[in-house]
Structures are given as structure tokens and as C-alpha cells.
Amino acid sequence: MAIITLTTDLGDKDIYQAALKGSIYKLLPTVNIVDITNNVAAFDVQQAAFILKNSFYYFPDGTVHLIGIDTVYNDHTKFLAVKYKNHYFVGADNGIFSLMFKETPDEIVEINIMQDLKFLHFPLADIFVKAACHLAKGGKLNEIGIPVQDIENKMNLQPVIEKNLIKGVVIYIDSFQNVITNITKEFFNSVQQGRKFVLNFKRNETINHLSWHYNEVPVGEKLCLFGISDHLEIAINKGNASGLLGLNLNDKVIIEFQ
């Protein structure tokens, strides 16, 4: 069965998500629609990229990922269909692809499907759906678009090495209020090289031990670990780390090696 995933900022209380799903089923009744999330903050390309890049590879090869973030038509933004690591992505060329992919995609086309005027303000349920369903049925990229080489480039904020320090920032706060930084496990290990460390953040809080799982410390105690995204997380066992520790998006964290 073909799979189309949805990563959007449409929310759950309006008609938009229903209109999108209904449009997909109308074209491809047998498809399996999977919500990655419809609760991305409005127009937040960075948040959507973080969620999708850390989840798409759990799906089978050939899955089509429809990205509904900042998709309203304008003269300066192209609509793209992209093949990357045997997955397909359909979305606006607003920087999200450069934020998601480490390597150059295998194939990129600018979608040239004709806009239906009744969907003029909602191309997500028209152009994007037609492209996604075409790919889910096994269609080729070059049948729905013109090959292009360049995509809108946005850069993820990278951690900085300074003497015996790593300086990072908070890039995501999940539903459990775990605080996720831009420091990856690979980056941390390359700098640590077996040394002891102290993680410093707001309110003069520190952590000097990596945990393997959340229950490794008593309930209510803080910890840090590399979670499912392979990014360093600050958490409280069964608690609200963001609220209780005062950590918010873009706050700085510092790792000092000894």
C-alpha cells in the first residue's frame, strides 16, 4: 500500500487538514495517510525540518512526504518534488530541503502541474496533492516537473568549538518539554575524546553525566542524554525540563571539557 505522510502547520481545529486529506483520498482512495504532525508552529520551517528529518527514514522506501509549511502561492517561491535516499518529498522551496538534507538530493524538479483556480489560496490541496499522489502511484518525477539544480538555502545554527568548550543552543522543545540542543552525538564525541565534561545552562544549573535513558535518575531529577534524534537533550525524569529549568528556544548551553 502506498504511503503519504503529512508534516504541516494546519492544526486540528479548522477545515484545512480535512480538506487536504479528502483531496488525497479523492485521487488515491487506497493510500495510507500517516500524520507525522499537523501541529508545527505556523510557518516555522526550522521546526518542521527538525521533525521530518528525524522521522522520515523510519518509513519504507518509496514513501511520499508531503510538507505543508508556508505553501501559499507567491511569485518568488517554487514548488518542488524531490527524491532523497529513496524517499520522495513535496513542498515549497522555502529553505526546508536544505535544512533537512545532509547531502544533495538524487533528483529535484520544479512542479509544473496547472493550478486549479478554485484552489488558488490553497495549493496544498491541489498542486501538492496531485504531485504526491502521482509519486505514490509509482510515477516519475520528470512527468510532473522540470529538473532544477538549486534550492533555497538556509543554514542550521551549528555548535561552536572554543578552546575546551562547545557552545550550543536550544533548537526544539518536544511535547514532554524535553529540551533538545543543536549538539549531535557525533559532534560531541569528536570533541570529547573520552574527557569528563560539565554541561552548563540557565540558572547556574549543571549536569556532568550522560544518561542512557530517562529513568536512570530519580523522578524529578534532571539529566542529559542523546535521544532518538541523536541530539543532546536536557530532561527531567517525568518532569517539565523547559518550564522548571527556564530553558527556551535559542537559549545557550555550554559544555566544558576537563
Side-chain angles (χ1 to χ4, degrees):
M1 181 181 289
I3 300 172
I4 295 177
T5 77
L6 304 181
T7 302
T8 81
D9 58 4
L10 298 179
D12 298 312
K13 70 175 185 176
D14 299 311
I15 67 170
Y16 309 119
Q17 186 187 147
L20 173 59
K21 290 179 178 178
S23 299
I24 295 171
Y25 282 127
K26 189 177 288 186
L27 286 183
L28 192 56
T30 60
V31 72
N32 186 10
I33 298 175
V34 178
D35 294 309
I36 291 181
T37 179
N38 292 295
N39 292 302
V40 174
F43 311 114
D44 195 330
V45 174
Q46 296 265 359
Q47 185 184 98
F50 179 83
I51 293 170
L52 188 51
K53 78 175 182 180
N54 286 295
S55 57
F56 82 83
Y57 56 86
Y58 287 98
F59 289 87
D61 285 357
T63 296
V64 180
H65 305 279
L66 196 159
I67 308 167
I69 308 293
D70 194 18
T71 58
V72 176
Y73 174 81
N74 69 63
D75 292 334
H76 308 294
T77 302
K78 302 187 292 288
F79 297 153
L80 301 181
V82 177
K83 184 178 182 182
Y84 178 77
K85 293 189 179 296
N86 294 319
H87 288 247
Y88 294 95
F89 301 82
V90 177
D93 186 26
N94 51 22
I96 193 165
F97 298 111
S98 63
L99 293 170
M100 282 196 300
F101 303 149
K102 291 183 179 179
E103 300 90 14
T104 302
D106 304 310
E107 194 174 353
I108 309 169
V109 300
E110 181 179 356
I111 299 169
N112 60 4
I113 295 170
M114 186 67 68
Q115 171 81 61
D116 188 327
L117 291 180
K118 72 177 180 179
F119 289 101
L120 187 61
H121 300 295
F122 197 28
L124 183 59
D126 178 40
I127 295 175
F128 286 64
V129 164
K130 290 173 182 174
C133 289
H134 169 84
L135 295 169
K137 289 187 288 187
K140 305 297 184 182
L141 281 172
N142 60 15
E143 295 170 338
I144 56 170
I146 302 167
V148 294
Q149 299 297 322
D150 298 324
I151 58 176
E152 179 72 21
N153 190 43
K154 285 188 177 181
M155 297 294 293
N156 285 309
L157 193 60
Q158 298 298 315
V160 175
I161 303 173
E162 188 176 298
K163 294 184 180 179
N164 289 319
L165 304 177
I166 293 177
K167 294 183 177 181
V169 297
V170 176
I171 59 170
Y172 190 78
I173 297 171
D174 70 15
S175 298
F176 297 96
Q177 299 300 295
N178 299 320
V179 176
I180 301 172
T181 75
N182 64 341
I183 301 168
T184 64
K185 185 176 183 179
E186 180 181 15
F187 187 86
F188 177 88
N189 288 339
S190 69
V191 179
Q192 181 193 25
Q193 297 182 348
R195 293 179 292 172
K196 294 181 179 180
F197 74 93
V198 177
L199 172 61
N200 301 274
F201 48 95
K202 266 189 170 183
R203 300 178 181 174
N204 295 318
E205 296 276 0
T206 62
I207 302 173
N208 60 9
H209 172 74
L210 273 172
S211 295
W212 288 97
H213 53 81
Y214 298 102
N215 289 320
E216 192 173 308
V217 301
V219 172
E221 289 294 321
K222 63 182 182 291
L223 67 137
C224 67
L225 50 65
F226 288 100
I228 193 171
S229 69
D230 263 350
H231 283 247
L232 185 67
E233 294 183 22
I234 300 168
I236 291 177
N237 185 13
K238 294 183 172 62
N240 177 339
S242 174
L244 293 174
L245 299 174
L247 284 165
N248 300 297
L249 290 175
N250 300 315
D251 281 349
K252 295 178 181 178
V253 300
I254 296 175
I255 301 173
E256 183 177 2
F257 294 101
Q258 301 169 343

